[in-house]
Amino acid sequence: MPTLKALVLSGGRGTRLRPLTFTLAKQLIPLANKPVLGYVLDQVAETGINQIGVIIAPETGHYVKEYVKDGSEWGFDVTYIPQEPLGLAHAVKTAKPFLDEESFIMCLGDNLQGQGLTAFVKKFTKEKMDALILLKPVDDPTKFGVATLDEKANIIKLVEKPKVPASNLAIVGTYIFSNKIFKAIDQITPSWRGELEITDAIQEMINMGFNVKAETLSTWWLDTGKKDDILTANAKILDEYTKQEINGTIQDSKIEGRVAIPESAKVVNSVLRGPCVIGDNCTIENSFIGPYTSIGNGTKIVDSSIEYSVILNDAQISGVDRLEESLIGKNAKVTRNHRNGCLKLHEGDYSEVEI
């Protein structure tokens, strides 16, 4: 295949995931103990692309750099591109010095899909397209950019978050563009949100007569922009990829199903039911860890029951009878008051507690 570059967007402020995103880029929130961004980079690497630009935000860019480093883990030559979050088309415009005149694939660092990218790159190249947009039917199109197609899969019209959708085909977070995208971006103006919208740029490409096609995903697609989305994505990844790997210290415990336990972890007098993953240097005592749960490195869980949750590194959970559908941040503590049964909270800005 002709050489393409890749642009991976790992900026934004992640306001819907605060307070976690005050100290962590939203693309680095782990699913099955691996950052969302890692799965995206894996799929880009499978295409054979090795020149990659990573869009980063001023607030969280250093966290992304700490994870991706020089990109050698994926075989990438990485260029970091700082950007204020002023829209996806603005990100493309900001990356123009890196992209130069090359065609490129653009991926959102907090979106996951079950289908790889290689076939789409081949189709784009073979049919000499100027843009290939991936779509997926959704239940509520008003939350997304929505496409209307003709019978030949040509895009007729794109609308960002329509109040009355003309179709249920949402634009997912993967795009492939020729350098003609820059001509279209130069013609658009900021939306009511003050952003340069990628939907407006693609619509302008259509208006300018460029070869813009769409492909509908045949597998799942997940946008991990909110807590419930992360829990759903975590469950999906655990369901598809977790294998039974029991290497830790197991004492008087029962392990059921596909559970991954590293050598450095310790499980005492507990029940673990998969699919679930346990991180390095974890301790689990007198507890139940149920399906669709990932436990981050260094976490200690005692006298508790946890299910369908994502627990980040170095958390401490003690005496909690039942914890479900929860996202617990790094170094967080969740404990039960055994003395008088009262509820004591130390919660940061934008936190949520459901009693």
Side-chain angles (χ1 to χ4, degrees), residues 344-355:
K344 296 183 179 181
L345 301 177
H346 180 174
E347 297 292 328
D349 295 348
Y350 300 94
S351 295
E352 293 184 14
V353 177
E354 185 173 324
I355 305 301

Side-chain angles (χ1 to χ4, degrees), residues 7 9 83 86-96 99 104 106 130 175 177-191 195-208 210:
L7 186 65
L9 276 57
Q83 183 230 2
L86 297 174
L88 301 187
H90 181 265
V92 174
K93 190 172 184 177
T94 302
K96 187 174 182 180
L99 296 168
F104 63 98
M106 182 171 82
D130 294 310
Y175 316 77
F177 294 117
S178 75
N179 59 21
K180 292 179 181 176
I181 183 65
F182 296 110
K183 294 181 180 179
I185 292 174
D186 287 341
Q187 300 301 313
I188 65 174
T189 57
S191 67
E195 298 185 355
L196 289 177
E197 308 285 358
I198 198 67
T199 48
D200 291 345
I202 299 167
Q203 183 66 54
E204 188 61 28
M205 292 184 79
I206 297 168
N207 298 343
M208 296 170 80
F210 296 141

